Amino acid sequence: MLNPRQPHRGRMKKGIDPSLWVSLKPFGIGEEHPNNFAEISRALRENRDQAGFAWRILSQGVCDGCALGVAGLKDWTMDGPHLCNIRLRLLRLNTMPALDPALLTNVAALRKMRGAELRELGRLPYPMVRRRGDAGFHRIGWEEALTLVAGRIAAAGPGRAGFYLTSRGTPNETYYAAQKAVRAMGGNQIDNAARICHAPSSVALKSMLGVGATTCSYGDWIGTDLLVFVGANPANNQPVTTKYMYYAKRAGTRMVLVNTYREPGMERYWIPSVPESALFGTKLADDTFLINTGGDAAFLNGALKHILERNLLDHDFVAKHTTGLDEVRTAVADLAWQTLEEQAGGSEAEMRAFGQMVGEAKTAVFVWSMGATQHIFGEDNVRAIINLGLTRGFVGRDRCGLMPIRGHSGVQGGAEMGAYATAFPGGLPINPENAAALGDAWGFPVSAQVGRTAPEMIDAAHAGELDVLFSTGGNFLEALPDPPYVDAALGRVPLRVHQDIVLSSQMLVEPAETVVLLPATTRYEVPGGVTQTSTERRIMFGPEIDGRRIGEARPEWEVYLDLARRVRPELRDRLTVAGTQALREEIAKVVPMYDGIQTLRQTGDEVQYGGPHLCAGWNFPTADGKAHFIPVPLPAVEVPAGMFAVATRRGKQFNTMVQAERDAITGAGRDAVLMNPEDAAALGLRDGDPITLRNETGAFAGRVFLAPVKSRNLQVHWPEGNVLLAHGRRSPASDVPDYNAFVQVEPDRPAGTAAEAAD
Ligand code: SF4
């Protein structure tokens, strides 16, 4: 009998399937892949002083890693345990003791430390302050700290104060309280990490389908005819998805990758909690189409051109439920195959083959991530994916969907709670009508002026136009392009406030006047518990968990409202909230799609807003009730002669937190420059040779790492590769930075040895 909560289970074959095995070598001995059993043993070692607390976090908490979503060790897609090495590596951040505040009295030594070393010093226990000329920080009380910060915010006025929240571990309640507090203090100058990953997805989905999030659930992957990943590497970034992929394969799904690099983890994986896969591995991708960095729109347009030429549309769906196909048909007909091939980096035959797969599928799910979005034309890449999905009505029904997969636990909720410079709670546009309605709900006026996005805050800081920068978690210095520019910008802000659980490099930038550190609790320490929203729109409850508590750390939501009450004492009553349950009750009223959040009480409690499918029954919440095809022009991507396109990628890391020097999936070190073997040979380079990538922004010293990357394309790790990225290159519609660049490759070896190396 089918489980009504997991209807896809009935699609999977029983028993084992040797045709999917990678090899007969047990546990993939000798193959490059993560050793998850070693990760468990490492986590046991690291957390042995707090073993009980660590176990309670794993068994009762909602994971603070990626946005796949799990409560305790169970998810809503599959039976069996849900746990991965990202979560295990993050665990120590939640159980570690406080650092010794004396370490901060002189930051000179700290500035030489890497991010991992700073984190390992321990949790921030007390508010601390450093003034210009001080060698380091000294302890102050909360009262003094908040009086100082509130006074400066009040003096600055809303236009000269900026607020930013990270996505790591940040729950819905914090985002909601923060944006309400910032809006009470005046203006909409608040942004969060969702800006720099999936803002283009929200823009494109909203304009074409009327929704701003994934239309489907993970369960739709299993048994769909076609599962397509564009610019996404969930095997690394959301490791438990490999289990969903395994079950999809067992249910007969064809898995296809469109990417610049043949990601090894997406082609085969050893899934530790599936005995057959743990022993012999599982072949995942059936087809990989290698394309140029920035070639997505061309490749997808080529596939669309084939579908239109061969008349593979679902005519009934298109006629009844969409508009705009005629314009798209005209635009695509005008695109010459030669132009598409040059831009895409794929051949006409490959584009036609992919188009044929899409055209023949009865069901399909398209999943994409930052390989598609983090370009100045990120919205167009997403629009091209949606156009393809609409050709056959792959939305709003079982085993179909359009899914921007999120990398970090907070990002889905961050935007939906309104911690956004460009949107109110619920993703509503910032305009006078919505501002007035929000003002009525809260009992104070709300500005109808769009605020500065996170990159714009840094620009303002650089220009000397920001007096206060309040950052909850995150690390601008490592997350954004062009670190010297960001460093200079941070150093010009008179008051910087860093609210966090551990030290980060941005805290150590010399103060223009004052830097304040505020110690935060983790999500597991918040009285009353908190919620998080997963990629599949599931709002999950995580309770407060008994265990170690750190000094004077306070929940972030509480501090935001405390600050706002100090800045606007006349609003004291309206900015006083009893606790997180009261916040959830308010969220349910202000963000109606989150109704149900107020009923969540214990681990496993959840509500999936919108249900398993948005646009179910092909009802689109657009003005005309239809889905909209939109023509996608080809972006102007032309790699200058003699140069390469370089993209940044994740290795063994979470967010900017590098967790290992070597990526166990690819085998690449942090200084690796992934390069096509033929390109390397043409330059006389061998695996491991030192090289420098250089452009007008900066230089990156690395080593050749031969890999199946599309020719004339390179990949380097982020954030190290940020030195090559121009700070001003951002998409005009959503202000997402472009995490790609053009570079020259300079061999770092004495002249005259190239010929020998090439022999
Ligand atoms: S896949 Fe994501 S949600 Fe699941 S355990 Fe790993 S980090 Fe947590």
Side-chain angles (χ1 to χ4, degrees), residues 63 65-70 82-84 86-87 238-240:
C63 175
C66 83
L68 200 61
V70 57
H82 176 137
L83 180 65
C84 81
I86 292 178
R87 190 177 186 189
Q238 297 92 357
V240 176

Side-chain angles (χ1 to χ4, degrees), residues 223-524:
T224 185
D225 289 351
L226 199 61
L227 178 57
V228 182
F229 294 91
V230 183
N233 182 15
N236 186 53
N237 303 321
Q238 297 92 357
V240 176
T241 54
T242 55
K243 197 168 173 181
Y244 303 165
M245 293 174 208
Y246 165 82
Y247 286 114
K249 300 284 299 180
R250 296 299 313 270
T253 293
R254 181 173 195 161
M255 187 171 139
V256 177
L257 313 180
V258 179
N259 204 21
T260 305
Y261 170 44
R262 199 178 281 281
E263 295 284 356
M266 294 293 283
E267 299 219 309
R268 82 282 184 280
Y269 206 90
W270 284 258
I271 302 154
S273 58
V274 178
E276 174 190 18
S277 180
L279 258 177
F280 302 116
T282 301
K283 291 185 227 162
L284 295 174
D286 295 280
D287 307 275
T288 299
F289 294 101
L290 284 187
I291 62 167
N292 285 332
T293 301
D296 312 69
F299 188 84
L300 297 164
N301 264 328
L304 180 59
K305 187 177 171 82
H306 175 83
I307 289 171
L308 295 171
E309 283 178 7
R310 299 293 154 90
N311 202 17
L312 298 172
L313 295 165
D314 177 336
H315 290 282
D316 198 45
F317 166 77
V318 170
K320 288 188 187 147
H321 300 286
T322 72
T323 63
L325 183 65
D326 289 345
E327 290 83 348
V328 167
R329 192 187 291 278
T330 306
V332 167
D334 286 346
L335 295 171
W337 282 109
Q338 190 185 344
T339 309
L340 290 169
E341 284 184 328
E342 285 166 6
Q343 279 236 353
S347 66
E348 177 182 341
E350 288 172 312
M351 288 182 259
R352 286 193 183 278
F354 179 54
Q356 190 69 26
M357 285 178 205
V358 175
E360 286 175 353
K362 292 195 170 46
T363 54
V365 177
F366 290 76
V367 182
W368 68 91
S369 195
M370 282 164 278
T373 59
Q374 286 181 331
H375 296 269
I376 53 172
F377 42 82
E379 300 83 6
D380 278 340
N381 284 345
V382 179
R383 286 186 190 112
I385 296 170
I386 299 172
N387 276 343
L388 213 49
L390 287 179
T391 58
R392 299 190 48 79
F394 293 141
V395 63
R397 59 189 173 100
D398 198 24
R399 285 172 286 154
C400 293
L402 297 160
M403 177 181 279
I405 193 163
R406 310 269 180 171
H408 301 133
S409 59
V411 278
Q412 187 74 38
E416 288 164 351
M417 291 297 96
Y420 233 29
T422 50
F424 283 138
L428 296 179
I430 293 180
N431 59 34
E433 196 187 345
N434 291 334
L438 204 50
D440 286 347
W442 286 340
F444 53 79
V446 172
S447 168
Q449 286 282 110
V450 166
R452 284 192 180 99
T453 63
E456 285 170 348
M457 287 178 205
I458 294 301
D459 287 346
H462 199 270
E465 292 168 1
L466 205 66
D467 293 339
V468 182
L469 181 61
F470 191 111
S471 172
T472 298
N475 189 349
F476 285 118
L477 201 51
E478 294 187 5
L480 292 178
D482 197 352
Y485 175 81
V486 179
D487 188 273
L490 293 176
R492 290 175 191 173
V493 183
L495 172 64
R496 296 200 323 270
V497 185
H498 301 289
Q499 182 183 38
D500 213 327
I501 59 172
V502 288
L503 284 181
S504 69
S505 57
Q506 69 170 356
M507 299 172 178
L508 308 176
V509 172
E510 288 298 307
E513 290 178 18
T514 311
V515 178
V516 173
L517 307 184
L518 299 177
T521 53
T522 69
R523 60 165 56 182
Y524 307 115

Side-chain angles (χ1 to χ4, degrees), residues 43-61 73 87 91-92 94-96 524 544-549:
L44 284 171
R45 257 193 339 271
E46 279 182 347
N47 295 281
R48 61 184 178 277
D49 63 330
Q50 291 286 313
F53 187 27
W55 172 245
R56 286 191 293 280
I57 289 172
L58 289 179
S59 59
Q60 299 169 24
L73 296 164
R87 190 177 186 189
L91 192 54
R92 188 57 177 158
N94 297 296
T95 66
M96 63 169 46
Y524 307 115
E544 181 186 5
I545 292 172
D546 286 344
R548 175 179 261 162
R549 293 295 182 267

